[in-house]
Amino acid sequence: MTLAAEQGAVEEVACAVCGGTDATRLFEKDGFPIVRCRGCGLVYVNPRLTPQALAGLYEGQEISPAAYYVRTARQDELSFAQRLALIERYHDPGTLLDLGCGPGTFSAVARSRGWHPVGLDVNSQSVAHCRDLGLEAICDVFPSPALSGRRFDVVVMNDFLEHLPDPGAALEAAGTLLAPGGVLFVTTPDVGSLMARLTGVRWLHLKPNEHLNYFDRRTIDRLLTRTGYRVKYLRAIGRVRNLAVALEKMRAYGELASTVARLLIPVRLAERINLPLNPGDEMVVIAAKAD
Ligand SMILES: [Zn+2]
């Protein structure tokens, strides 16, 4: 039994896509079992931390700390400009809701391209950072009553859906906030990718206290269809990473590879190099409301 379980901070849950309760255990990581639904194939953490326990971790900066995102802001700006260029193939700049906005990097890039963004994040320090940038930001979980009655041309979920206890409810709520002709933009790790399958329990995105659900192309499509959407675009997406940060992340896959890389590349040089990387294990989905 893990410490969290002893403290009663964990709960058993059903599959977030099909509602099934029959699942195969894949492996255990950080004290949490990772299972695969026998009904639809969704991979998820079960049992997992309760929403209350998770909220404490976010507010304590133990998950998605604002400092990490400020450090990677320059690379994120480049990645987010690419994502916005993709969004703009489906909708001209208008109003945009940035769910899980963090310290506001995506919203700030959107604003520079003519969008009118509103951010939402559960982390009060991140929201304060957004406001320092002059951005409108709401500190709340989603769905939030602060958004009722508002409509957006685009609802953005960058690395957001996998964090939610009930992703289906969030997608339905997002649908009610979309203006006519609006689109939903989602990025999330792809557990069906070659990278995820090759690295198994060591896969970088496998973080059971923050990523509760792991989608692949089939399960994300199924959940979007169930919640009233039609998928228009679904593909692997990369991001620009600073080489120093990329090397740190490589440690998850083995100390040896990372040590060799660090010996070959001086840290100060690595910090000046930005690389477009696409290991194929994150996907982007653009969807519209089904008529
Ligand atoms: Zn299922």
Side-chain angles (χ1 to χ4, degrees):
M1 218 195 219
T2 64
L3 184 62
E6 283 166 14
Q7 290 168 346
V10 296
E11 60 182 7
E12 290 265 355
V13 293
C15 170
V17 170
C18 74
T21 51
D22 186 16
T24 313
R25 192 182 173 107
L26 296 179
F27 24 64
E28 182 167 316
K29 189 164 188 182
D30 304 338
F32 292 93
I34 315 281
V35 303
R36 184 193 303 279
C37 175
R38 287 204 179 113
C40 74
L42 181 75
V43 175
Y44 62 104
V45 182
N46 194 30
R48 69 180 184 208
L49 290 177
T50 60
Q52 293 78 6
L54 286 166
L57 289 184
Y58 282 98
E59 196 46 40
Q61 299 279 316
E62 287 172 61
I63 294 178
S64 304
Y68 171 80
Y69 291 108
V70 170
R71 184 183 165 206
T72 61
R74 180 66 199 131
Q75 292 71 40
D76 289 342
E77 279 169 19
L78 297 167
S79 305
F80 293 158
Q82 290 172 352
R83 293 182 185 188
L84 282 154
L86 177 59
I87 291 170
E88 288 160 13
R89 280 159 54 182
Y90 291 86
H91 207 295
D92 290 333
T95 52
L96 180 152
L97 177 61
D98 182 5
L99 294 173
C101 63
T105 312
F106 185 88
S107 284
V109 176
R111 181 175 58 184
S112 75
R113 299 173 71 97
W115 291 88
H116 301 284
V118 176
L120 177 141
D121 204 283
V122 71
N123 184 307
S124 57
Q125 249 177 283
S126 291
V127 168
H129 194 268
C130 290
R131 290 174 183 160
D132 287 345
L133 298 175
L135 295 162
E136 182 184 349
I138 297 160
C139 189
D140 204 352
V141 293
F142 184 73
S144 165
L147 290 165
S148 65
R150 298 186 70 164
R151 291 289 177 275
F152 299 89
D153 295 314
V154 177
V155 174
V156 172
M157 300 182 174
N158 277 309
D159 310 325
F160 178 71
L161 207 57
E162 64 275 15
H163 292 252
L164 304 180
D166 190 347
L171 289 171
E172 278 169 2
T176 67
L177 297 173
L178 274 180
V183 293
L184 173 77
F185 177 89
V186 175
T187 68
T188 192
D190 179 1
V191 74
S193 63
L194 183 63
M195 187 71 170
R197 284 183 280 131
L198 284 177
T199 54
V201 71
R202 301 178 106 174
W203 187 38
L204 271 181
H205 296 287
L206 211 61
K207 304 182 227 181
N209 64 352
E210 46 186 307
H211 295 169
L212 308 177
N213 294 295
Y214 301 85
F215 301 96
D216 62 16
R217 292 178 181 219
R218 249 171 359 108
T219 50
I220 193 76
D221 184 277
R222 179 165 173 170
L223 184 61
L224 283 163
T225 303
R226 196 197 87 199
T227 52
Y229 294 89
R230 184 167 41 83
V231 171
K232 296 169 84 88
Y233 180 98
L234 199 172
R235 204 166 289 187
I237 191 169
R239 61 174 77 209
V240 177
R241 280 219 195 271
N242 177 263
L243 184 55
V245 173
L247 291 176
E248 278 173 32
K249 287 187 173 281
M250 266 178 67
R251 295 173 84 168
Y253 297 133
E255 202 58 50
L256 181 64
S258 129
T259 303
V260 170
R262 274 183 286 129
L263 286 173
L264 292 174
I265 307 162
V267 171
R268 286 176 61 188
L269 177 63
E271 282 185 347
R272 277 188 278 135
I273 299 177
N274 293 326
L275 297 168
L277 296 176
N278 188 351
D281 60 352
E282 291 177 272
M283 55 186 168
V284 57
V285 190
I286 295 177
K289 280 168 85 171
D291 313 306

